[in-house]
Amino acid sequence: MKTISLCLALAGSTNLLYAQQKPSDSIARKLDEVIVTGQYEPQSVRKSVYQVRTINSKTIQSRAATSIQQVLNTELGIRFSNDMALGTSDIQLMGMSGRNVKILLDGVPMIDRGETRESLNQIDVNTIERIEIVEGPMSVSYGTDALAGVINIITKKPGTEKILVTAKIQEESAGSEYQTFSNEGIHNQNINISWQKKAWNVSAGFSHNNFEGWQGDTTGRVKQWHPKNQLLGNAKVGYTTGNFNIYYRLDALNEDIKANGGQIESPLYDNPIARDKKYTTNRFTNQIQSNWLINRKLNLSFLASYTNYKRKTQTTVLDLVTNTRTLSIDAAEQDVSKFNSAIFRTTAQYKVSDKLSLQPGLDLNMESASGQRIAGSPSINDYAFFVSAEIKPLSFINIRPGLRFIYNS
């Protein structure tokens, strides 16, 4: 396998905030790996009750990963299974897969059309600051689909630069198959721009990921790994001042997966034909998040998101002699499935004393679906109230009891 990567970063008006820190502060920051997933407040991994692993941006960059699957593939306890027909992947954590693994983007659950977590490979790897993996049940805080654990993908936050522009081009072969910038191999391009002034920050990014498939052991038109083309965009505007911050973020995806069929003879056609399938996914995720540190004892967090997801299956018949293409008229070979998801979540962290902290929260999830294979327009609403506590009777003992009350429509 051959990989060629080119990265470029331009920054303007960088301040010297970190240069003013004491050496001891810098060392402490490097030693204490801070996590936020499932915690009352950001804290080091060694103080967490849960089994948490983090993958930082340097590790992601060093692996030259083009997708999150490539980042997680080498992690212990994580496995992936690939659907060769649909070109999608599912993750397995702690021996459990599908709906037992909660995928979060900045704390917002990702929506999928079925049991598999295909959304994991529909996130721009260039926007990731770090990935936090919490192993074991997290159902009190995140619901019943977090039985195996939670994978929280945390995106990059504004740095100290007033203006920052980064660009990246990555060329990679698939086995021995490769052509520069097009056709065989993997061809990825990315650009990100961020700007901040005083309390305001704005950023935007765009990525194009093109994979022309891999022949493998197959012959003819059929490819063992399907060709995939992704367009990913994101935009964010935020405001931070003192103990309060709020931001809005938009993530957009357009993905095409092509599954070419082999040559077949059909009595309905004069010439040999091939049946080709094309899977097109469009996803738009809007989110608003806010955090308000009222005082040293009370902290409020708020999250609201809306996701619009559509997956289209198109089957065409290709005449291999005349090279003409027509839509297949066979039943169930054309389909459009739509899913909408609205989420509202708010939590409060109240520190009663050094030995007792409480976290009550409200979690509302509303989902609806429609499509040729879906009867009517069904919807599922889930309303939950949860409360947990962190009890520290001794310096070396930390107890985390919790309750979750759910009403599901």
Side-chain angles (χ1 to χ4, degrees), residues 21-83:
Q21 295 174 351
K22 296 179 181 178
S24 58
D25 293 338
S26 177
I27 295 172
R29 289 177 183 270
K30 292 180 180 179
L31 290 178
D32 290 336
E33 193 172 22
V34 175
I35 55 172
V36 297
T37 309
Q39 310 302 316
Y40 286 10
E41 59 184 3
Q43 61 180 243
S44 64
V45 173
R46 61 187 180 86
K47 291 184 178 180
S48 173
V49 173
Y50 302 107
Q51 180 67 30
V52 184
R53 283 180 284 163
T54 62
I55 305 173
N56 58 35
S57 57
K58 289 185 178 180
T59 302
I60 295 171
Q61 187 175 2
S62 66
R63 293 178 183 177
T66 59
S67 68
I68 296 180
Q69 178 177 340
Q70 293 180 359
V71 177
L72 298 176
N73 246 338
T74 56
E75 295 296 313
L76 291 175
I78 293 179
R79 296 180 62 187
F80 286 90
S81 59
N82 298 312
D83 188 323

Short mmCIF file of all heavy atoms in Angstrom, two decimals, residues 21-83:
data_model
loop_
_atom_site.label_atom_id
_atom_site.label_comp_id
_atom_site.label_asym_id
_atom_site.label_seq_id
_atom_site.Cartn_x
_atom_site.Cartn_y
_atom_site.Cartn_z
N GLN A 21 2.69 30.15 30.74
CA GLN A 21 2.43 29.18 31.78
C GLN A 21 3.74 28.73 32.43
O GLN A 21 4.81 28.74 31.82
CB GLN A 21 1.72 27.96 31.19
CG GLN A 21 0.33 28.28 30.65
CD GLN A 21 -0.26 27.07 29.96
OE1 GLN A 21 0.42 26.08 29.75
NE2 GLN A 21 -1.53 27.15 29.63
N LYS A 22 3.60 28.30 33.64
CA LYS A 22 4.77 27.77 34.34
C LYS A 22 5.11 26.38 33.81
O LYS A 22 4.22 25.64 33.40
CB LYS A 22 4.48 27.70 35.84
CG LYS A 22 4.24 29.06 36.48
CD LYS A 22 3.93 28.91 37.96
CE LYS A 22 3.67 30.26 38.61
NZ LYS A 22 3.33 30.12 40.03
N PRO A 23 6.39 25.97 33.85
CA PRO A 23 6.75 24.63 33.38
C PRO A 23 5.98 23.54 34.09
O PRO A 23 5.61 22.55 33.49
CB PRO A 23 8.26 24.57 33.69
CG PRO A 23 8.69 26.00 33.73
CD PRO A 23 7.55 26.78 34.25
N SER A 24 5.75 23.69 35.38
CA SER A 24 5.03 22.66 36.14
C SER A 24 3.61 22.52 35.64
O SER A 24 3.06 21.41 35.59
CB SER A 24 5.03 23.01 37.64
OG SER A 24 4.42 24.28 37.85
N ASP A 25 2.97 23.66 35.24
CA ASP A 25 1.62 23.60 34.70
C ASP A 25 1.60 22.84 33.40
O ASP A 25 0.70 22.04 33.15
CB ASP A 25 1.07 25.01 34.47
CG ASP A 25 0.87 25.76 35.77
OD1 ASP A 25 0.74 25.08 36.80
OD2 ASP A 25 0.83 27.01 35.75
N SER A 26 2.60 23.08 32.56
CA SER A 26 2.66 22.40 31.27
C SER A 26 2.82 20.90 31.44
O SER A 26 2.18 20.11 30.76
CB SER A 26 3.83 22.97 30.45
OG SER A 26 3.96 22.29 29.23
N ILE A 27 3.67 20.48 32.39
CA ILE A 27 3.88 19.06 32.64
C ILE A 27 2.61 18.41 33.16
O ILE A 27 2.22 17.32 32.75
CB ILE A 27 5.05 18.86 33.64
CG1 ILE A 27 6.37 19.33 33.02
CG2 ILE A 27 5.15 17.41 34.08
CD1 ILE A 27 7.53 19.35 33.99
N ALA A 28 1.93 19.11 34.06
CA ALA A 28 0.69 18.55 34.62
C ALA A 28 -0.36 18.35 33.54
O ALA A 28 -1.09 17.37 33.54
CB ALA A 28 0.15 19.47 35.71
N ARG A 29 -0.42 19.31 32.60
CA ARG A 29 -1.40 19.19 31.53
C ARG A 29 -1.09 17.98 30.66
O ARG A 29 -1.99 17.31 30.16
CB ARG A 29 -1.42 20.46 30.68
CG ARG A 29 -2.02 21.66 31.39
CD ARG A 29 -1.94 22.91 30.53
NE ARG A 29 -2.46 24.06 31.24
CZ ARG A 29 -3.72 24.43 31.21
NH1 ARG A 29 -4.59 23.74 30.53
NH2 ARG A 29 -4.12 25.52 31.86
N LYS A 30 0.15 17.67 30.43
CA LYS A 30 0.53 16.53 29.60
C LYS A 30 0.27 15.21 30.31
O LYS A 30 -0.10 14.23 29.70
CB LYS A 30 2.00 16.64 29.20
CG LYS A 30 2.29 17.80 28.25
CD LYS A 30 3.76 17.87 27.89
CE LYS A 30 4.04 19.02 26.94
NZ LYS A 30 5.47 19.12 26.59
N LEU A 31 0.46 15.19 31.62
CA LEU A 31 0.29 13.94 32.37
C LEU A 31 -1.18 13.59 32.58
O LEU A 31 -1.55 12.43 32.53
CB LEU A 31 1.00 14.06 33.73
CG LEU A 31 2.52 14.10 33.70
CD1 LEU A 31 3.07 14.27 35.11
CD2 LEU A 31 3.09 12.83 33.07
N ASP A 32 -2.02 14.58 32.80
CA ASP A 32 -3.44 14.34 33.07
C ASP A 32 -4.24 14.42 31.78
O ASP A 32 -4.48 15.51 31.25
CB ASP A 32 -3.98 15.35 34.08
CG ASP A 32 -3.40 15.12 35.47
OD1 ASP A 32 -3.00 13.98 35.73
OD2 ASP A 32 -3.34 16.07 36.26
N GLU A 33 -4.63 13.26 31.26
CA GLU A 33 -5.44 13.20 30.05
C GLU A 33 -6.89 13.45 30.44
O GLU A 33 -7.52 12.65 31.11
CB GLU A 33 -5.28 11.84 29.39
CG GLU A 33 -5.83 11.78 27.99
CD GLU A 33 -5.46 10.48 27.32
OE1 GLU A 33 -5.16 9.50 28.03
OE2 GLU A 33 -5.48 10.44 26.09
N VAL A 34 -7.43 14.59 30.01
CA VAL A 34 -8.75 15.02 30.45
C VAL A 34 -9.83 14.39 29.58
O VAL A 34 -9.70 14.30 28.36
CB VAL A 34 -8.86 16.55 30.41
CG1 VAL A 34 -10.26 17.00 30.73
CG2 VAL A 34 -7.87 17.17 31.39
N ILE A 35 -10.92 13.94 30.22
CA ILE A 35 -12.07 13.39 29.53
C ILE A 35 -13.33 14.13 29.98
O ILE A 35 -13.37 14.71 31.06
CB ILE A 35 -12.23 11.88 29.79
CG1 ILE A 35 -12.30 11.62 31.30
CG2 ILE A 35 -11.12 11.09 29.15
CD1 ILE A 35 -12.65 10.21 31.67
N VAL A 36 -14.37 14.09 29.13
CA VAL A 36 -15.63 14.76 29.47
C VAL A 36 -16.83 13.82 29.37
O VAL A 36 -17.86 14.06 29.99
CB VAL A 36 -15.88 15.98 28.55
CG1 VAL A 36 -14.81 17.03 28.75
CG2 VAL A 36 -15.99 15.57 27.09
N THR A 37 -16.73 12.73 28.61
CA THR A 37 -17.86 11.85 28.38
C THR A 37 -18.25 11.09 29.65
O THR A 37 -17.42 10.40 30.24
CB THR A 37 -17.55 10.83 27.26
OG1 THR A 37 -17.07 11.55 26.12
CG2 THR A 37 -18.77 10.03 26.89
N GLY A 38 -19.49 11.26 30.07
CA GLY A 38 -19.98 10.56 31.25
C GLY A 38 -19.51 11.14 32.56
O GLY A 38 -19.73 10.56 33.62
N GLN A 39 -18.87 12.32 32.52
CA GLN A 39 -18.33 12.91 33.74
C GLN A 39 -19.20 14.11 34.18
O GLN A 39 -19.87 14.74 33.36
CB GLN A 39 -16.89 13.39 33.52
CG GLN A 39 -15.99 12.35 32.90
CD GLN A 39 -15.90 11.07 33.69
OE1 GLN A 39 -15.77 11.10 34.92
NE2 GLN A 39 -15.96 9.94 33.01
N TYR A 40 -19.16 14.43 35.45
CA TYR A 40 -19.85 15.61 35.96
C TYR A 40 -19.13 16.88 35.54
O TYR A 40 -19.73 17.92 35.33
CB TYR A 40 -19.95 15.55 37.47
CG TYR A 40 -20.96 14.55 37.98
CD1 TYR A 40 -21.55 13.63 37.13
CD2 TYR A 40 -21.35 14.53 39.31
CE1 TYR A 40 -22.47 12.72 37.60
CE2 TYR A 40 -22.27 13.62 39.79
CZ TYR A 40 -22.83 12.71 38.92
OH TYR A 40 -23.75 11.81 39.37
N GLU A 41 -17.84 16.78 35.42
CA GLU A 41 -17.00 17.88 34.97
C GLU A 41 -15.76 17.27 34.36
O GLU A 41 -15.43 16.11 34.64
CB GLU A 41 -16.62 18.79 36.15
CG GLU A 41 -15.89 18.09 37.27
CD GLU A 41 -15.62 19.01 38.46
OE1 GLU A 41 -16.05 20.17 38.40
OE2 GLU A 41 -14.97 18.57 39.41
N PRO A 42 -15.05 17.98 33.48
CA PRO A 42 -13.83 17.43 32.89
C PRO A 42 -12.85 16.97 33.97
O PRO A 42 -12.56 17.72 34.91
CB PRO A 42 -13.27 18.61 32.09
CG PRO A 42 -14.46 19.45 31.79
CD PRO A 42 -15.36 19.33 32.98
N GLN A 43 -12.37 15.73 33.83
CA GLN A 43 -11.42 15.21 34.81
C GLN A 43 -10.48 14.23 34.15
O GLN A 43 -10.70 13.79 33.01
CB GLN A 43 -12.15 14.55 35.97
CG GLN A 43 -13.02 13.37 35.59
CD GLN A 43 -13.71 12.76 36.81
OE1 GLN A 43 -13.47 11.61 37.16
NE2 GLN A 43 -14.57 13.55 37.45
N SER A 44 -9.42 13.87 34.85
CA SER A 44 -8.40 12.99 34.29
C SER A 44 -8.93 11.56 34.21
O SER A 44 -9.83 11.16 34.94
CB SER A 44 -7.13 13.03 35.14
OG SER A 44 -7.39 12.53 36.43
N VAL A 45 -8.35 10.78 33.29
CA VAL A 45 -8.77 9.40 33.07
C VAL A 45 -8.62 8.57 34.34
O VAL A 45 -9.48 7.77 34.69
CB VAL A 45 -7.95 8.78 31.92
CG1 VAL A 45 -8.25 7.28 31.79
CG2 VAL A 45 -8.25 9.48 30.61
N ARG A 46 -7.55 8.78 35.09
CA ARG A 46 -7.28 7.94 36.26
C ARG A 46 -8.29 8.17 37.38
O ARG A 46 -8.44 7.33 38.27
CB ARG A 46 -5.85 8.17 36.77
CG ARG A 46 -5.56 9.60 37.20
CD ARG A 46 -4.09 9.80 37.54
NE ARG A 46 -3.81 11.17 37.95
CZ ARG A 46 -3.93 11.61 39.18
NH1 ARG A 46 -4.35 10.80 40.14
NH2 ARG A 46 -3.64 12.87 39.48
N LYS A 47 -9.04 9.29 37.35
CA LYS A 47 -10.03 9.56 38.38
C LYS A 47 -11.44 9.15 37.96
O LYS A 47 -12.38 9.29 38.74
CB LYS A 47 -10.02 11.04 38.74
CG LYS A 47 -8.75 11.50 39.46
CD LYS A 47 -8.85 12.96 39.86
CE LYS A 47 -7.61 13.42 40.62
NZ LYS A 47 -7.72 14.85 41.01
N SER A 48 -11.58 8.66 36.75
CA SER A 48 -12.90 8.30 36.24
C SER A 48 -13.36 6.96 36.79
O SER A 48 -12.57 6.01 36.92
CB SER A 48 -12.88 8.24 34.71
OG SER A 48 -14.09 7.74 34.21
N VAL A 49 -14.66 6.87 37.12
CA VAL A 49 -15.25 5.61 37.56
C VAL A 49 -15.33 4.63 36.40
O VAL A 49 -15.18 3.42 36.58
CB VAL A 49 -16.65 5.86 38.16
CG1 VAL A 49 -17.35 4.54 38.47
CG2 VAL A 49 -16.54 6.70 39.43
N TYR A 50 -15.57 5.15 35.21
CA TYR A 50 -15.74 4.30 34.03
C TYR A 50 -14.40 3.97 33.39
O TYR A 50 -13.40 4.67 33.58
CB TYR A 50 -16.63 5.01 33.01
CG TYR A 50 -17.98 5.39 33.54
CD1 TYR A 50 -18.29 6.72 33.81
CD2 TYR A 50 -18.96 4.43 33.77
CE1 TYR A 50 -19.53 7.09 34.29
CE2 TYR A 50 -20.20 4.79 34.26
CZ TYR A 50 -20.48 6.11 34.53
OH TYR A 50 -21.71 6.47 35.02
N GLN A 51 -14.42 2.89 32.60
CA GLN A 51 -13.26 2.51 31.82
C GLN A 51 -13.26 3.35 30.54
O GLN A 51 -14.06 3.15 29.64
CB GLN A 51 -13.31 1.02 31.47
CG GLN A 51 -12.14 0.51 30.65
CD GLN A 51 -10.83 0.52 31.42
OE1 GLN A 51 -10.82 0.38 32.64
NE2 GLN A 51 -9.73 0.69 30.71
N VAL A 52 -12.36 4.35 30.48
CA VAL A 52 -12.37 5.30 29.38
C VAL A 52 -11.02 5.29 28.67
O VAL A 52 -9.96 5.28 29.30
CB VAL A 52 -12.68 6.73 29.87
CG1 VAL A 52 -12.77 7.69 28.70
CG2 VAL A 52 -13.97 6.77 30.67
N ARG A 53 -11.09 5.29 27.34
CA ARG A 53 -9.88 5.44 26.52
C ARG A 53 -10.04 6.66 25.64
O ARG A 53 -11.13 6.96 25.18
CB ARG A 53 -9.67 4.21 25.63
CG ARG A 53 -9.10 3.00 26.36
CD ARG A 53 -8.93 1.86 25.39
NE ARG A 53 -10.20 1.22 25.07
CZ ARG A 53 -10.38 0.42 24.02
NH1 ARG A 53 -9.39 0.21 23.18
NH2 ARG A 53 -11.55 -0.15 23.81
N THR A 54 -8.97 7.37 25.40
CA THR A 54 -9.01 8.53 24.51
C THR A 54 -8.00 8.34 23.38
O THR A 54 -6.91 7.79 23.58
CB THR A 54 -8.69 9.83 25.27
OG1 THR A 54 -7.35 9.75 25.80
CG2 THR A 54 -9.67 10.05 26.41
N ILE A 55 -8.39 8.82 22.22
CA ILE A 55 -7.50 8.85 21.04
C ILE A 55 -7.37 10.31 20.65
O ILE A 55 -8.35 10.93 20.23
CB ILE A 55 -8.08 8.01 19.88
CG1 ILE A 55 -8.38 6.58 20.35
CG2 ILE A 55 -7.11 7.99 18.71
CD1 ILE A 55 -9.10 5.75 19.31
N ASN A 56 -6.20 10.87 20.81
CA ASN A 56 -6.02 12.30 20.56
C ASN A 56 -5.73 12.58 19.10
O ASN A 56 -5.55 11.68 18.27
CB ASN A 56 -4.93 12.87 21.47
CG ASN A 56 -3.59 12.18 21.28
OD1 ASN A 56 -3.24 11.77 20.18
ND2 ASN A 56 -2.84 12.04 22.36
N SER A 57 -5.68 13.88 18.77
CA SER A 57 -5.52 14.30 17.37
C SER A 57 -4.18 13.88 16.79
O SER A 57 -4.08 13.57 15.60
CB SER A 57 -5.70 15.81 17.27
OG SER A 57 -4.78 16.48 18.11
N LYS A 58 -3.12 13.85 17.61
CA LYS A 58 -1.81 13.44 17.12
C LYS A 58 -1.82 11.98 16.69
O LYS A 58 -1.23 11.61 15.68
CB LYS A 58 -0.75 13.68 18.20
CG LYS A 58 -0.42 15.15 18.43
CD LYS A 58 0.72 15.32 19.42
CE LYS A 58 1.07 16.78 19.63
NZ LYS A 58 2.17 16.95 20.59
N THR A 59 -2.51 11.14 17.48
CA THR A 59 -2.61 9.72 17.12
C THR A 59 -3.40 9.54 15.84
O THR A 59 -3.03 8.75 14.97
CB THR A 59 -3.29 8.94 18.27
OG1 THR A 59 -2.53 9.11 19.47
CG2 THR A 59 -3.37 7.46 17.93
N ILE A 60 -4.49 10.29 15.70
CA ILE A 60 -5.31 10.21 14.49
C ILE A 60 -4.50 10.62 13.28
O ILE A 60 -4.53 9.96 12.23
CB ILE A 60 -6.56 11.10 14.64
CG1 ILE A 60 -7.46 10.57 15.77
CG2 ILE A 60 -7.34 11.16 13.32
CD1 ILE A 60 -8.60 11.50 16.12
N GLN A 61 -3.73 11.70 13.42
CA GLN A 61 -2.92 12.19 12.30
C GLN A 61 -1.81 11.22 11.94
O GLN A 61 -1.51 11.00 10.77
CB GLN A 61 -2.35 13.56 12.64
CG GLN A 61 -1.63 14.24 11.49
CD GLN A 61 -1.18 15.65 11.83
OE1 GLN A 61 -1.37 16.10 12.95
NE2 GLN A 61 -0.59 16.34 10.88
N SER A 62 -1.20 10.61 12.96
CA SER A 62 -0.10 9.69 12.70
C SER A 62 -0.54 8.41 11.99
O SER A 62 0.25 7.78 11.30
CB SER A 62 0.59 9.31 14.02
OG SER A 62 -0.28 8.56 14.85
N ARG A 63 -1.82 8.06 12.14
CA ARG A 63 -2.34 6.85 11.47
C ARG A 63 -2.76 7.13 10.03
O ARG A 63 -3.18 6.21 9.32
CB ARG A 63 -3.52 6.29 12.26
CG ARG A 63 -3.10 5.73 13.62
CD ARG A 63 -4.29 5.21 14.43
NE ARG A 63 -3.84 4.76 15.73
CZ ARG A 63 -4.66 4.31 16.69
NH1 ARG A 63 -5.96 4.24 16.47
NH2 ARG A 63 -4.17 3.92 17.86
N ALA A 64 -2.69 8.39 9.59
CA ALA A 64 -3.07 8.78 8.23
C ALA A 64 -4.43 8.21 7.87
O ALA A 64 -4.65 7.74 6.76
CB ALA A 64 -2.01 8.30 7.23
N ALA A 65 -5.35 8.28 8.81
CA ALA A 65 -6.67 7.67 8.63
C ALA A 65 -7.53 8.51 7.70
O ALA A 65 -7.54 9.73 7.77
CB ALA A 65 -7.36 7.51 9.98
N THR A 66 -8.28 7.82 6.84
CA THR A 66 -9.24 8.49 5.97
C THR A 66 -10.67 8.35 6.49
O THR A 66 -11.58 8.97 5.95
CB THR A 66 -9.17 7.91 4.55
OG1 THR A 66 -9.47 6.50 4.60
CG2 THR A 66 -7.79 8.11 3.96
N SER A 67 -10.85 7.53 7.53
CA SER A 67 -12.17 7.35 8.13
C SER A 67 -11.98 7.00 9.60
O SER A 67 -10.89 6.60 10.04
CB SER A 67 -12.95 6.25 7.42
OG SER A 67 -12.35 4.98 7.65
N ILE A 68 -13.07 7.12 10.37
CA ILE A 68 -13.00 6.78 11.79
C ILE A 68 -12.79 5.29 11.99
O ILE A 68 -12.17 4.86 12.97
CB ILE A 68 -14.27 7.27 12.50
CG1 ILE A 68 -14.34 8.80 12.43
CG2 ILE A 68 -14.31 6.82 13.95
CD1 ILE A 68 -15.54 9.40 13.08
N GLN A 69 -13.27 4.48 11.06
CA GLN A 69 -13.06 3.04 11.16
C GLN A 69 -11.57 2.72 11.16
O GLN A 69 -11.10 1.86 11.92
CB GLN A 69 -13.73 2.31 10.00
CG GLN A 69 -13.50 0.80 10.03
CD GLN A 69 -14.24 0.07 8.92
OE1 GLN A 69 -15.19 0.59 8.35
NE2 GLN A 69 -13.80 -1.14 8.63
N GLN A 70 -10.80 3.41 10.34
CA GLN A 70 -9.35 3.19 10.31
C GLN A 70 -8.69 3.64 11.61
O GLN A 70 -7.67 3.08 12.01
CB GLN A 70 -8.74 3.91 9.12
CG GLN A 70 -9.17 3.35 7.77
CD GLN A 70 -8.55 4.08 6.61
OE1 GLN A 70 -7.80 5.04 6.79
NE2 GLN A 70 -8.87 3.66 5.40
N VAL A 71 -9.26 4.64 12.27
CA VAL A 71 -8.72 5.09 13.56
C VAL A 71 -8.96 4.04 14.64
O VAL A 71 -8.08 3.75 15.46
CB VAL A 71 -9.35 6.43 13.97
CG1 VAL A 71 -8.85 6.86 15.35
CG2 VAL A 71 -9.05 7.51 12.96
N LEU A 72 -10.17 3.45 14.65
CA LEU A 72 -10.57 2.55 15.73
C LEU A 72 -10.17 1.10 15.49
O LEU A 72 -10.25 0.28 16.41
CB LEU A 72 -12.09 2.63 15.93
CG LEU A 72 -12.66 3.99 16.34
CD1 LEU A 72 -14.17 3.93 16.39
CD2 LEU A 72 -12.11 4.43 17.69
N ASN A 73 -9.77 0.78 14.26
CA ASN A 73 -9.51 -0.62 13.90
C ASN A 73 -8.47 -1.30 14.79
O ASN A 73 -8.54 -2.50 15.02
CB ASN A 73 -9.07 -0.71 12.44
CG ASN A 73 -10.09 -1.44 11.59
OD1 ASN A 73 -10.90 -2.20 12.09
ND2 ASN A 73 -10.04 -1.19 10.30
N THR A 74 -7.51 -0.54 15.26
CA THR A 74 -6.41 -1.12 16.04
C THR A 74 -6.66 -1.07 17.55
O THR A 74 -5.79 -1.47 18.32
CB THR A 74 -5.09 -0.40 15.72
OG1 THR A 74 -5.25 1.01 15.97
CG2 THR A 74 -4.71 -0.59 14.25
N GLU A 75 -7.82 -0.57 17.97
CA GLU A 75 -8.12 -0.48 19.39
C GLU A 75 -8.60 -1.82 19.94
O GLU A 75 -9.39 -2.52 19.30
CB GLU A 75 -9.20 0.59 19.64
CG GLU A 75 -8.76 2.00 19.30
CD GLU A 75 -7.63 2.48 20.19
OE1 GLU A 75 -7.73 2.30 21.41
OE2 GLU A 75 -6.66 3.04 19.66
N LEU A 76 -8.13 -2.17 21.14
CA LEU A 76 -8.52 -3.43 21.77
C LEU A 76 -10.01 -3.42 22.08
O LEU A 76 -10.57 -2.41 22.52
CB LEU A 76 -7.73 -3.64 23.06
CG LEU A 76 -6.23 -3.92 22.92
CD1 LEU A 76 -5.57 -3.98 24.29
CD2 LEU A 76 -5.99 -5.22 22.16
N GLY A 77 -10.66 -4.56 21.85
CA GLY A 77 -12.08 -4.71 22.17
C GLY A 77 -13.03 -4.15 21.14
O GLY A 77 -14.25 -4.20 21.32
N ILE A 78 -12.49 -3.61 20.03
CA ILE A 78 -13.33 -3.05 18.97
C ILE A 78 -13.12 -3.84 17.69
O ILE A 78 -11.98 -4.08 17.27
CB ILE A 78 -13.01 -1.56 18.73
CG1 ILE A 78 -13.43 -0.73 19.95
CG2 ILE A 78 -13.74 -1.05 17.49
CD1 ILE A 78 -13.14 0.74 19.82
N ARG A 79 -14.23 -4.26 17.09
CA ARG A 79 -14.18 -4.99 15.82
C ARG A 79 -15.20 -4.40 14.86
O ARG A 79 -16.21 -3.83 15.28
CB ARG A 79 -14.48 -6.48 16.04
CG ARG A 79 -13.46 -7.21 16.90
CD ARG A 79 -13.86 -8.67 17.05
NE ARG A 79 -13.88 -9.36 15.76
CZ ARG A 79 -14.32 -10.60 15.61
NH1 ARG A 79 -14.80 -11.27 16.65
NH2 ARG A 79 -14.31 -11.18 14.42
N PHE A 80 -14.94 -4.55 13.57
CA PHE A 80 -15.86 -4.08 12.54
C PHE A 80 -16.28 -5.24 11.65
O PHE A 80 -15.50 -6.15 11.37
CB PHE A 80 -15.21 -2.99 11.69
CG PHE A 80 -15.09 -1.66 12.37
CD1 PHE A 80 -13.96 -1.34 13.11
CD2 PHE A 80 -16.12 -0.73 12.28
CE1 PHE A 80 -13.84 -0.12 13.74
CE2 PHE A 80 -16.01 0.50 12.91
CZ PHE A 80 -14.87 0.81 13.64
N SER A 81 -17.53 -5.22 11.24
CA SER A 81 -18.03 -6.18 10.26
C SER A 81 -18.53 -5.40 9.06
O SER A 81 -19.17 -4.36 9.20
CB SER A 81 -19.17 -7.02 10.85
OG SER A 81 -20.24 -6.19 11.28
N ASN A 82 -18.22 -5.90 7.86
CA ASN A 82 -18.56 -5.20 6.63
C ASN A 82 -19.67 -5.93 5.88
O ASN A 82 -19.64 -7.15 5.75
CB ASN A 82 -17.33 -5.07 5.73
CG ASN A 82 -16.22 -4.25 6.36
OD1 ASN A 82 -16.48 -3.17 6.87
ND2 ASN A 82 -15.00 -4.75 6.34
N ASP A 83 -20.65 -5.17 5.41
CA ASP A 83 -21.71 -5.70 4.57
C ASP A 83 -21.28 -5.49 3.12
O ASP A 83 -21.33 -4.38 2.60
CB ASP A 83 -23.03 -4.98 4.85
CG ASP A 83 -24.22 -5.62 4.15
OD1 ASP A 83 -24.04 -6.08 3.01
OD2 ASP A 83 -25.31 -5.66 4.74
#
